[in-house]
């Protein structure tokens, strides 16, 4: 099976992920560890985009395939996990969440089970489970 060509340099991607982790505000339903409001550090959109795209590429590299589509709008989408190949229409196995949730799962700040249980991840299909791959 051919592995997708990386578009994000791994060093640049890790740096963006580290910058996001250092400056990210915890989810709104988490206990406040960082003060909210104007004093909270903001992570630039370009850093979030690079971190998301890098982590999607990393998931694909670790679990190549086309049976699960992972969507993190508006930043990226990938197909991963070995199994039946999807070619047309809506894929049977789809995972979708926002960038903050995705990066929290990638960095280990939020578990897959907690994210799904809280309704922060929409996962449909028998193979739509990344708990064995996250955190990266």
């Amino acid at each position: 099976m051919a592995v997708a060509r990386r578009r994000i340099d791994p060093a640049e991607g890790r740096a963006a992920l580290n910058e996001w982790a250092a400056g990210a505000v915890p989810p709104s339903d988490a206990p406040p560890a960082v003060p909210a409001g104007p004093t909270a550090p903001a992570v630039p959109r370009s850093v979030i985009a690079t971190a998301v795209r890098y982590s999607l590429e990393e998931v694909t590299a670790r679990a190549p395939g086309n049976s699960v589509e992972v969507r993190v709008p508006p930043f990226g989408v990938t197909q991963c996990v070995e199994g039946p190949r999807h070619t047309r229409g809506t894929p049977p196995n789809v995972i979708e969440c926002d960038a903050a949730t995705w990066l929290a799962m990638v960095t280990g700040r939020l578990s897959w089970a907690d994210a799904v249980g809280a309704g922060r991840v929409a996962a449909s299909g028998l193979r739509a489970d990344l708990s064995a791959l996250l955190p990266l």
Side-chain angles (χ1 to χ4, degrees):
M1 170 174 290
V3 176
R5 177 181 67 84
R6 284 192 180 267
R7 294 173 184 232
I8 305 293
D9 176 79
E12 183 182 333
R14 283 189 296 274
L17 205 51
N18 290 337
E19 186 176 340
W20 178 86
V25 176
S28 60
D29 59 343
V34 176
T39 59
V43 179
R45 182 177 168 88
S46 62
V47 170
I48 295 169
T50 300
V52 167
R53 291 175 186 142
Y54 164 73
S55 58
L56 288 171
E57 287 180 358
E58 192 63 26
V59 165
T60 302
R62 293 180 186 201
N66 296 95
S67 69
V68 177
E69 186 166 289
V70 181
R71 301 172 181 168
V72 185
F75 300 111
V77 62
T78 193
Q79 290 186 352
C80 58
V81 182
E82 221 174 272
R85 181 177 177 81
H86 164 73
T87 56
R88 294 179 52 166
T90 302
N93 303 290
V94 177
I95 296 166
E96 187 167 339
C97 64
D98 62 86
T101 300
W102 173 252
L103 292 174
M105 290 188 300
V106 163
T107 59
R109 292 181 174 195
L110 180 64
S111 74
W112 172 263
D114 290 343
V116 171
R120 295 177 63 186
V121 172
S124 63
L126 296 173
R127 296 175 181 267
D129 182 351
L130 297 181
S131 59
L133 296 171
L134 299 175
L136 293 180

